[in-house]
Amino acid sequence: MRVVAFHGSPRAEGNTELLLKETLRAIGESAHDIQLFTLNLMNIRPCQDCGGCEKTGVCVIDDDMGDIYDAIRKAERFILASPIFFFGLSAQAKAMVDRCQAFWCEKYLLKKAIPQGPHERKGLLLLVGGMKREIGIQCSEATAAAFFRTISVPEHRTLGFLGVDAKGAVLEHPTALRDACQAGKDLVAVS
Ligand SMILES: Cc1cc2nc3c(=O)[nH]c(=O)nc-3n(C[C@H](O)[C@H](O)[C@H](O)COP(=O)(O)O)c2cc1C
């Protein structure tokens, strides 16, 4: 099964990455084809709202999103991992999500949703926030739900950890790594 993961934090080896790595480690144990995109290291220009994708479903910008568009078409399991910044997804994650407007046009204007493969398409949203304010999870969840719907992922689960701020603090969380590991196993389980 093909799994695509998006790492949305700019902080290398920070809390989001630690959680995501744990999830991917669990998935890797049952041999899947995993493609990890570290968004902060990629050249992804924000959507210009130029309307270029409206008639074709294809974005006119030529940058690293090309690899992501391909991966999103081919994969069946999706992980979006982001720190909560200003009550929402990080700019890195949001730029990638906004560029999926091309899929939105393809699905809703051109009426051509991404076809399902042999397995259903499922998602996992991993969030880490330094504050203990649920609104950060709620706002990120709203954006991520729209993202998953747009790329024809009808079902996703959300794991959010609050009060996790300093680099590496997630390692001290009583359940986070275990939860992330289990979420990885659940994501690729075939029912
Ligand atoms: C620009 C910025 C904005 C932030 N805004 C929030 C916020 O709105 N809510 C929150 O819970 N934490 C916020 N934080 C804290 C981060 O979510 C927290 O430090 C998190 O653990 C970072 O994850 P990372 O180590 O993967 O980068 C913010 C941090 C930064 C740098």
Side-chain angles (χ1 to χ4, degrees), residues 9 11 14-17 83-87 128-131 164-165:
S9 173
R11 188 152 68 168
N15 298 313
T16 309
E17 186 170 3
I84 296 169
F85 281 181
F86 283 83
F87 298 151
V128 191
M131 297 161 73
V164 177
D165 204 10

Side-chain angles (χ1 to χ4, degrees), residues 89-168:
L89 297 178
S90 69
Q92 290 80 355
K94 185 62 164 50
M96 184 280 292
V97 165
D98 285 355
R99 289 285 298 284
C100 288
Q101 179 67 3
F103 285 121
W104 189 94
C105 291
E106 189 180 68
K107 182 173 181 179
Y108 295 107
L109 300 182
L110 307 175
K111 314 283 182 212
K112 284 194 300 185
I114 300 169
Q116 293 277 338
H119 304 286
E120 334 154 69
R121 291 163 70 87
K122 287 187 186 172
L124 172 65
L125 173 63
L126 293 177
L127 296 170
V128 191
M131 297 161 73
K132 291 189 176 162
R133 301 271 310 266
E134 283 288 335
I135 188 173
I137 293 184
Q138 290 158 358
C139 294
S140 304
E141 168 65 31
T143 304
F147 164 64
F148 284 130
R149 200 164 45 242
T150 295
I151 62 166
S152 299
V153 175
E155 188 186 316
H156 78 273
R157 177 176 170 198
T158 300
L159 266 191
F161 301 97
L162 294 174
V164 177
D165 204 10
K167 186 172 176 176

